[in-house]
Amino acid sequence: MRNKVIKWCKAAGIRAIRTMAQTAIAMIGTAAVMNSVDWNLVISASVLSGILSLLTSIAGLPELK
């Protein structure tokens, strides 16, 4: 059981980090076009996307059997 929890935490963490990075890239790219990057907005949106990713992972991760 402990091994399954460790695998889930690792997979969910990797997925959340990737989601946060994708959100940050999208926010920075969009803001750069408008010539003003609001770093507080980028960070808060990225953290929120990471939290939502972890909550979504509770439903199940396709990479884990």
Side-chain angles (χ1 to χ4, degrees), residues 18-31:
R18 286 181 181 166
T19 301
M20 291 172 67
Q22 291 169 345
T23 301
I25 290 167
M27 296 287 295
I28 292 167
T30 302

Side-chain angles (χ1 to χ4, degrees), residues 50-63:
I51 292 169
L52 293 174
S53 175
L54 288 173
L55 292 173
T56 303
S57 294
I58 293 171
L61 292 169
E63 57 265 25

Side-chain angles (χ1 to χ4, degrees), residues 22-60:
Q22 291 169 345
T23 301
I25 290 167
M27 296 287 295
I28 292 167
T30 302
V33 169
M34 298 185 304
N35 294 324
S36 61
V37 177
D38 183 356
W39 291 105
N40 289 329
L41 182 62
V42 171
I43 291 169
S44 64
S46 297
V47 170
L48 178 61
S49 69
I51 292 169
L52 293 174
S53 175
L54 288 173
L55 292 173
T56 303
S57 294
I58 293 171

Side-chain angles (χ1 to χ4, degrees), residues 3-16:
N3 194 23
K4 286 184 179 182
V5 172
I6 291 171
K7 284 183 180 181
W8 183 89
C9 287
K10 189 174 182 179
I14 290 169
R15 181 176 282 234

